Amino acid sequence: MAEFKTSPGMRDILDPESGRWRRFVSAFEHTVEPAGYRQIIPPLLEDIGVFQRVGEATDVVTKEMYDFVDKGERHVALRPEQTASVCRAFVQHRPVTPWKAWYAGPNFRYEKPQRGRFRQFDQVGIEVLGATDPYLDVEVIALGWNFLAGLGLRRLTLQINSLGEPTDREKFMSALSAHFTNELDALSVESRATLSKNPLRVLDSKRDEDREIIARAPRIADFHSDEARAHFASVRTGLERLGIPFVVNERLVRGLDYYRHTTFEYVGGTLDSAQNALGGGGRYDGLVEDLGGPPTPGIGFAIGVDRTLLACDDEGVFEPPVSSVRVFVIDTTGGAEALVLTDQLRRSGISADRAFESRSMKSQMKAADRSGAEVALIIGSDELASGTVVVRPLRGGDQISVHRDDLLPALQKVLT
Ligand code: HAM
């Protein structure tokens, strides 16, 4: 018989990891909701055109998209990220600005799977549309930083850069292109191919033969307009005022083409360098317009859930939650008493579980221990006859026998 396994780069998230996953998203919600962000749940699948706006020259668009023609002859794609979908939703629904949205959910990129790099991966993120204030950049960067630090991560670096105005970026790109074209013969084969598509991407190369040529490449800061320089200076000052440490990395270009002005990455200290960005983002003034809306500035970030949890493992922080079952009911009289009692407990708000298949007392006690419950409630034939229940603490303490009518108050006293 055929035996199926998950496809490469796709994973089942089982307990206890799934519980940790929920806590992660909940911690994110509790970081951003009090700052005025409201959730958006965009669809997993959109017209491919929405995602093509992310950058015609990026790997995400040209190589990694899961796209197909659906039964209605529409060319659609599974989302590789959510910023483009949020901007599409903004154009479609025209909410009042500034519009602050947060999201959580899976994305798909056909990448080469490795530690911290999957084909289906989750992100949590925020986007703000409709404001250019540099202190908004600081608010956004700070929320991501506070969230990651709040998980307990300590080996974390914030890298920031500014790509300037679109015209600054154009001039910088031409200068870069001229520089790399001059050095064409010495560049790696991969970087030569990248150069013809987007010279910015060459800065991303980690290949040895490119390193020295990249070090001598023109610097974006030399191309900043006065406005871009002032915006970036305010971002840096704002971060300093909040006491958030950062390093300016002029080579930080990010993997998507829509960025302008501020870009940033939260870099973890434990993963391989190709996968060490736990999250990243920036300004993308221009994307809403590209999607058919009015000129609208935007900024946001996304944090990779899978990758950040790996970093948490490496640092030994943000442990999975422990079992939430507090009471385990043991019934050696056939199981009907356990049926009624667990139902009664659950209706009273006390988490409870039980064994099935009328197992022996010994085997049910083992199951109770495994469940992590604090208390076992035992009903044998004597208890059934006398209408009582034995309350046995599983982490030390004496057991007592109580009448069924007095069970709930007695239990409340035993549960810590
Ligand atoms: P990104 O840098 O492509 O940005 O992805 C953000 C984060 O998602 C990465 O730092 C990483 O943690 C995670 N990630 C990306 N690809 C994978 C993968 N194949 N496997 C595991 N994790 C991955 C964006 O997606 C932008 N939408 C961020 C943004 C929001 N910019 C502005 N607003």
Side-chain angles (χ1 to χ4, degrees):
M1 248 205 317
E3 194 185 313
F4 296 106
K5 296 223 166 100
T6 45
S7 301
M10 312 248 167
R11 307 182 296 154
D12 297 313
I13 311 292
L14 305 181
D15 176 78
E17 190 64 5
S18 51
R20 194 184 186 206
W21 203 278
R22 275 199 312 280
R23 258 182 75 208
F24 187 95
V25 176
S26 160
F28 189 71
E29 175 189 338
H30 286 100
T31 306
V32 294
E33 282 264 342
Y37 294 75
R38 296 289 173 267
Q39 189 176 16
I40 172 168
I41 308 177
L44 288 184
L45 188 120
E46 302 239 18
D47 189 296
I48 192 167
V50 172
F51 305 122
Q52 278 162 341
R53 301 303 187 283
V54 162
E56 309 283 355
T58 61
D59 284 355
V60 170
V61 169
T62 57
K63 295 192 200 148
E64 297 166 2
M65 202 98 86
Y66 277 86
D67 65 309
F68 61 97
V69 176
D70 75 5
K71 292 182 173 53
E73 301 294 314
R74 293 175 204 91
H75 193 177
V76 292
L78 292 177
R79 66 183 184 207
E81 58 113 52
Q82 292 170 68
T83 310
S85 296
V86 172
C87 290
R88 194 265 314 133
F90 177 81
V91 175
Q92 189 171 339
H93 305 290
R94 300 294 169 94
V96 175
T97 56
W99 188 46
K100 294 169 124 187
W102 72 271
Y103 50 82
N107 311 281
F108 302 84
R109 297 183 193 176
Y110 198 85
E111 297 201 73
K112 192 164 169 243
Q114 50 208 291
R115 187 167 192 262
R117 193 173 290 279
F118 307 97
R119 290 184 177 165
Q120 177 176 334
F121 60 95
D122 269 47
Q123 289 180 337
V124 292
I126 58 175
E127 311 291 346
V128 188
L129 292 171
T132 52
D133 191 328
Y135 290 145
L136 173 61
D137 304 24
V138 179
E139 168 176 310
V140 166
I141 296 172
L143 283 169
W145 176 265
N146 292 342
F147 168 67
L148 290 169
L151 297 176
L153 289 169
R154 290 291 166 262
R155 296 178 60 187
L156 199 62
T157 318
L158 169 63
Q159 299 194 354
I160 61 169
N161 191 19
S162 168
L163 298 176
E165 303 275 321
T167 46
D168 308 342
R169 208 179 117 136
E170 288 305 312
K171 284 186 211 148
F172 175 57
M173 297 253 275
S174 309
L176 267 186
S177 183
H179 170 77
F180 289 129
T181 307
N182 259 339
E183 310 273 354
L184 203 59
D185 292 345
L187 276 182
S188 66
V189 183
E190 292 83 356
S191 288
R192 263 180 258 166
T194 317
L195 178 59
S196 57
K197 284 188 264 160
N198 182 349
L200 265 185
R201 293 261 75 73
V202 178
L203 296 178
D204 257 353
S205 163
K206 307 240 164 27
R207 295 192 172 79
D208 283 343
E209 56 269 51
D210 298 330
R211 199 159 286 163
E212 193 265 336
I213 306 171
I214 290 173
R216 281 188 289 106
R219 309 203 153 261
I220 181 71
D222 296 333
F223 295 81
H224 282 163
S225 61
D226 290 346
E227 200 194 328
R229 196 164 295 131
H231 186 103
F232 194 39
S234 298
V235 172
R236 293 195 310 264
T237 312
L239 288 171
E240 278 157 14
R241 293 273 314 257
L242 297 188
I244 296 179
F246 61 88
V247 288
V248 176
N249 174 2
E250 281 200 82
R251 300 298 181 218
L252 182 70
V253 293
R254 312 259 312 118
L256 305 161
D257 270 355
Y258 48 57
Y259 293 109
R260 317 255 188 276
H261 287 283
T262 317
T263 54
F264 54 95
E265 261 176 20
Y266 308 105
V267 180
T270 60
L271 292 126
D272 277 358
S273 68
Q275 277 84 244
N276 66 1
L278 305 184
R283 273 206 170 272
Y284 45 86
D285 307 354
L287 188 53
V288 171
E289 233 176 322
D290 280 353
L291 287 161
T296 310
I299 180 163
F301 67 72
I303 288 172
V305 180
D306 312 67
R307 202 177 278 185
T308 304
L309 286 176
L310 278 176
C312 288
D313 286 340
D314 291 345
E315 289 203 37
V317 298
F318 200 69
E319 313 257 310
V322 287
S323 153
S324 60
V325 171
R326 305 191 71 189
V327 176
F328 199 93
V329 179
I330 293 171
D331 175 3
T332 56
T333 69
E337 296 309 309
L339 179 72
V340 173
L341 203 47
T342 47
D343 181 66
Q344 190 189 355
L345 291 167
R346 289 168 188 164
R347 284 171 195 255
S348 319
I350 299 171
S351 56
D353 201 2
R354 56 165 295 186
F356 287 97
E357 319 283 18
S358 304
R359 293 186 193 282
S360 68
M361 172 75 181
K362 193 170 158 209
S363 127
Q364 292 193 47
M365 270 314 289
K366 260 197 198 150
D369 281 334
R370 252 198 324 267
S371 76
E374 294 161 49
V375 172
L377 298 183
I378 304 167
I379 304 175
S381 44
D382 290 353
E383 286 76 23
L384 185 60
S386 59
T388 57
V389 181
V390 171
V391 178
R392 180 185 292 180
L394 294 172
R395 300 182 198 160
D398 296 329
Q399 69 176 41
I400 50 171
S401 174
V402 294
H403 197 269
R404 283 283 275 270
D405 296 340
D406 304 327
L407 178 61
L408 284 182
L411 201 51
Q412 299 289 7
K413 277 192 209 137
V414 182
L415 291 172
T416 46

